Amino acid sequence: MRNKLILISGGAGFIGSHLCDYYVSEGNNVWCIDNLCTGRISNIEHLLKEQKFKFIEADIISLDINSIKEHFDMVFHLASPASPPDYFRLPLETLKVNSLGTEKMLEIARKCNAKFLFSSTSEVYGDPLVSPQKEDYWGNVNPVGPRSVYDEGKRYGEAIVMAYHRKYRVDTRIIRIFNTYGERMRLDDGRVIPNFISQLLQGNPLTIYGDGRQTRSFCYISDLINGIVKMMEIDFHFPVNLGNPEEFTILQLAELLQKITGKKAIIQFLPALEDDPKQRRPDISRAKQLLNWQPVVQLEEGLRKTLKYFQSIPIPSPGADKGVK
Ligand code: UDP
């Protein structure tokens, strides 16, 4: 089979850059488009010298689709701020990239007759009242709260993807990504794992929002990438949860990271963030059945690798790790 031409929006981001790596390593031609509002050149620096890789620094919102003459085989729409402090800081950008941006990327896929994948999120379930969350749960989302720019942006994104599939028969896929971590997260992106690691490395207190009994389920990046790649190979158009079903409280995560780093820290309890989901855990039966996929990397193993990565990069300036609005 000939090598494919693949377009990845958000390809300089944490997840996108790993996806670029995978497809380039398989001998495909990859075009990465990113406006670097949360992505970083350092994530793709090693790919810039590859002939099969092309980086375009641009906002997909302002892309002129008529100027695109290439015939892409696959189109991935990953571009979006994804950490709460990032989308609190970039509310309109977040709404636009998931609405107008998704439409642009769908138009490209339609024009090329390409396979299309939209990266949605567990945030579409909001603060879920059922656990674990199955794909047929419609969620408990506050449409006007501070998180709504992301939650509703992604919900609109899912809706327009399904509309393009139903109306134009575009070969679409939707994945709902649960908390993912690993190499190339920004140490200052404000999410709980980079925050705790950066605080431990600098000897600062661990900041916990609320009582720390809220739960999350953390998936290591290589597991997620395997799931995304498999998703592109099947013919299924409804959402599929991708995440690790092992659930931890934030207090347990704080304990585990102290053990792994060998550093003890005091815990500073801060007010809970507004609408912060109290529990989150994927039901991955659909992914298991359709993709024959499940995560294989245990949290402790993945955190050790992530810690090694963070120890190898410079620590960003102080104050940059605050997860508050
Ligand atoms: N959190 C925390 N301290 C931090 C950062 C996050 O207690 O320094 C909590 C946050 O309130 C949430 C959970 O950890 O309950 C996961 O937050 P994160 O920002 O990583 O992602 P989310 O799952 O909320 O999108």
Side-chain angles (χ1 to χ4, degrees):
M1 200 191 287
R2 74 177 176 85
N3 292 335
K4 298 196 164 60
L5 181 58
I6 298 170
L7 178 64
I8 303 179
S9 74
F14 160 49
I15 296 173
S17 63
H18 286 277
L19 201 62
C20 290
D21 276 349
Y22 173 81
Y23 283 112
V24 169
S25 74
E26 291 288 300
N28 301 287
N29 289 291
V30 175
W31 284 33
C32 156
I33 179 161
D34 203 303
N35 69 354
L36 303 179
C37 78
T38 55
R40 289 175 306 174
I41 283 288
S42 58
N43 289 342
I44 51 166
E45 205 138 39
H46 58 290
L47 290 172
L48 296 175
K49 58 181 185 306
E50 299 276 346
Q51 279 208 334
K52 288 182 173 291
F53 182 77
K54 184 173 163 121
F55 172 61
I56 303 155
E57 183 176 343
D59 189 338
I60 53 168
I61 308 293
S62 38
L63 212 62
D64 174 12
I65 293 172
N66 294 325
S67 71
I68 297 175
K69 302 285 174 251
E70 284 65 30
H71 188 93
F72 294 104
D73 300 285
M74 293 184 188
V75 173
F76 290 86
H77 183 33
L78 270 62
S80 174
S83 95
D86 282 342
Y87 56 73
F88 295 152
R89 183 172 57 87
L90 300 166
L92 295 171
E93 291 83 346
T94 303
L95 280 166
K96 280 185 198 160
V97 78
N98 285 297
S99 52
L100 300 175
T102 305
E103 188 171 351
K104 284 254 169 155
M105 295 296 281
L106 281 162
E107 274 300 323
I108 296 172
R110 182 178 168 214
K111 187 172 152 185
C112 300
N113 207 13
K115 291 184 181 184
F116 177 90
L117 180 139
F118 177 60
S119 64
S120 185
T121 170
S122 54
E123 283 277 337
V124 299
Y125 302 121
D127 186 4
L129 303 176
V130 301
S131 193
Q133 293 84 52
K134 267 187 191 285
E135 290 87 348
D136 58 10
Y137 176 53
W138 291 352
N140 176 37
V141 172
N142 175 355
V144 293
R147 300 178 88 98
S148 64
V149 294
Y150 189 58
D151 302 10
E152 297 292 11
K154 290 292 184 187
R155 287 168 73 101
Y156 175 89
E158 290 194 7
I160 194 168
V161 170
M162 290 310 298
Y164 265 70
H165 174 66
R166 292 192 174 107
K167 186 170 167 80
Y168 299 123
R169 312 312 303 167
V170 176
D171 188 5
T172 58
R173 286 141 191 81
I174 297 170
I175 53 167
R176 290 185 180 151
I177 302 176
F178 283 65
N179 295 65
T180 301
Y181 68 99
E183 293 86 341
R184 300 190 194 147
M185 289 186 99
R186 294 189 344 257
L187 194 55
D188 62 352
D189 90 349
R191 278 185 275 206
V192 67
I193 290 178
N195 262 15
F196 282 1
I197 292 182
S198 125
Q199 289 159 348
L200 286 165
L201 293 180
Q202 295 177 82
N204 290 333
L206 295 179
T207 52
I208 290 194
Y209 307 141
D211 62 9
R213 285 187 296 169
Q214 69 269 41
T215 66
R216 293 295 187 272
S217 309
F218 300 99
C219 184
Y220 184 60
I221 183 68
S222 60
D223 282 332
L224 179 75
I225 296 295
N226 288 340
I228 295 180
V229 168
K230 285 185 165 212
M231 193 66 203
M232 239 18 190
E233 303 311 320
I234 63 160
D235 185 23
F236 187 81
H237 308 287
F238 287 103
V240 176
N241 287 340
L242 291 181
N244 191 319
E246 247 198 290
E247 187 178 21
F248 295 83
T249 65
I250 295 307
L251 281 166
Q252 286 173 323
L253 178 73
E255 276 300 312
L256 185 57
L257 278 169
Q258 290 180 75
K259 178 183 134 189
I260 289 171
T261 54
K263 292 178 195 265
K264 280 266 151 224
I266 55 163
I267 297 206
Q268 185 184 9
F269 288 95
L270 297 173
L273 298 183
E274 198 176 334
D275 297 333
D276 197 7
K278 287 178 267 315
Q279 55 182 353
R280 184 181 291 153
R281 178 181 174 214
D283 180 318
I284 58 163
S285 343
R286 186 175 276 181
K288 276 186 177 164
Q289 193 206 339
L290 292 173
L291 308 172
N292 191 23
W293 172 89
Q294 63 180 12
V296 294
V297 181
Q298 297 294 312
L299 182 59
E300 182 163 342
E301 182 191 347
L303 287 178
R304 284 188 192 279
K305 293 184 192 199
T306 308
L307 172 66
K308 227 183 214 171
Y309 166 75
F310 283 139
Q311 283 171 325
S312 72
I313 57 166
I315 290 181
S317 54
D321 64 344
K322 299 273 189 301
V324 286
K325 288 154 271 171

